[in-house]
Amino acid sequence: MLGHRIFISYRRDDSAGYARAVHEALVRRFDAAQVFMDVDDIGAGQRFVEVIRQAVGETQVLLVLIGRRWRGERDGAAARLDDPADFVRLEVAAALAGGVRVIPLLLDGAEMPAEAQLPPDLRALAGRNALTLSNASFAADLARLEAVLREPGGAPPVALATEPRTGLARHAVIVAALILALGAAAFWVWQRGRPVAAESAATAPSAPLAAVAGAWQAQVRYDWPNADYAEHFTFSVDAGELRGSASFLGVPRGVLEGRVEADGVRFVTRTPEQPGGEAVHRYRGRLVGGELRFTMQTEGGASAHVPVEFVARRAR
């Protein structure tokens, strides 16, 4: 098997939400086995440093997600990036030294670090052309990134459709085609067998599979003072599974455990918290007319929260 061709490097307390959203998008469009992200690709009991070094050694493109806290500034101490044992520094330095193509992704207006702000083994990063990734234009920015990865020298992680496929590759294409065909047939049978809704047109849910895909936006008021945020949601549906991203506090989070139900959608997102904790956000959205009426419950984390209700509408 070919090694990981795309490596996602990020600092968890700086860009974990964006990293998950980028990972989810790339594995949908490319070969999932060739997109590396530490949370998903390092098993329990494995030595972190060894796995990272091996993965970087097999990488052709390393994406460096740079937010406003990427250097890891700390009160009364040097930035984490200045520590030779810092994992982000090890990842990027190994890629630069090994001739890997390194693409910085600047998140939500973050600036490219100046050469003087970088340790000696990372200073070559300052001369790399960067792409931007923002919540306001996430879909377009992601499309631009995918186009760059497909360019000559961009190391697309799957063979182009015009290239010959043999052996396991051909077998994988056949299996994928069968899965798509079966999914289409199942959807057709399901549609033929659906009962006619008795609700009025004003309250009856639309056909979920066809209606939830695409971009949505909502104004959300969370359960603490002065916490009004414009949140954005991007959904796609694959064989009844809901995929995409949902922003929380303006930062995109990858959709997990997503599914489309008879009257709407359910999914989960996660937000890392310090020190070492994690908040889980459980969304339940009912499709009514042209709206998704959500209830979101946050669990875990540092404090208790009540359910938050809001309405998402199609993004312009």
Side-chain angles (χ1 to χ4, degrees):
M1 177 185 296
L2 292 174
H4 299 290
R5 295 195 182 182
I6 299 177
F7 186 111
I8 300 174
S9 172
Y10 67 103
R11 193 175 297 286
R12 292 188 187 182
D13 55 0
D14 174 58
S15 55
Y18 270 110
R20 171 61 64 183
V22 169
H23 180 269
E24 293 279 340
L26 293 182
V27 299
R28 286 199 304 273
R29 290 158 176 79
F30 301 132
D31 181 354
Q34 296 181 32
V35 182
F36 183 93
M37 180 173 169
D38 59 358
V39 174
D40 290 335
D41 295 307
I42 299 180
Q46 290 184 289
R47 291 178 60 84
F48 191 92
V49 174
E50 291 180 1
V51 175
I52 290 293
R53 285 175 177 168
Q54 180 178 356
V56 173
E58 297 171 345
T59 293
Q60 292 184 329
V61 176
L62 185 132
L63 304 178
V64 187
L65 275 60
I66 300 177
R68 292 184 174 89
R69 295 178 295 171
W70 177 72
R71 294 185 65 250
E73 289 85 350
R74 297 176 289 188
D75 292 337
R80 293 170 62 186
L81 197 68
D82 293 329
D83 181 354
D86 177 57
F87 287 126
V88 171
R89 176 172 172 176
L90 289 172
E91 293 167 358
V92 179
L96 292 170
V100 173
R101 184 181 186 188
V102 177
I103 301 177
L105 294 180
L106 304 180
L107 309 179
D108 280 334
E111 296 182 356
M112 191 70 186
E115 185 174 332
Q117 294 177 291
L118 298 171
D121 51 356
L122 296 191
R123 287 176 183 167
L125 180 66
R128 302 295 171 114
N129 189 34
L131 298 177
T132 59
L133 197 61
S134 72
N135 182 56
S137 56
F138 186 73
D141 293 343
L142 227 110
R144 189 178 302 112
L145 171 62
E146 292 168 15
V148 169
L149 292 174
R150 293 184 184 278
E151 290 174 354
V158 291
L160 299 176
T162 55
E163 295 177 354
R165 294 181 173 92
T166 59
L168 291 175
R170 181 184 289 116
H171 176 72
V173 172
I174 293 171
V175 170
L178 286 173
I179 291 173
L180 289 174
L182 288 172
F187 175 63
W188 180 81
V189 171
W190 176 77
Q191 286 284 67
R192 288 289 299 273
R194 290 182 67 209
V196 177
E199 296 180 84
S200 67
T203 60
S206 306
L209 286 172
V212 301
W216 300 77
Q217 61 187 16
Q219 195 68 29
V220 182
R221 174 170 293 179
Y222 294 101
D223 59 330
W224 61 88
N226 302 316
D228 290 325
Y229 284 83
E231 305 290 23
H232 297 264
F233 306 83
T234 303
F235 298 136
S236 63
V237 179
D238 182 9
E241 291 187 10
L242 186 74
R243 303 177 185 274
S245 65
S247 69
F248 176 73
L249 306 185
V251 178
R253 322 279 173 176
V255 166
L256 307 172
E257 303 174 26
R259 64 181 185 269
V260 179
E261 299 180 332
D263 64 343
V265 297
R266 287 182 187 269
F267 62 90
V268 169
T269 67
R270 300 176 184 273
T271 300
E273 293 190 354
Q274 293 296 321
E278 183 179 61
V280 178
H281 316 292
R282 300 189 182 278
Y283 292 79
R284 171 72 173 93
R286 184 169 181 265
L287 189 62
V288 179
E291 300 176 340
L292 274 171
R293 299 182 181 179
F294 276 104
T295 300
M296 188 276 282
Q297 175 67 61
T298 296
E299 302 172 354
S303 58
H305 296 277
V306 300
V308 175
E309 296 184 350
F310 61 92
V311 175
R313 296 179 177 87
R314 288 286 181 185
R316 294 181 179 179

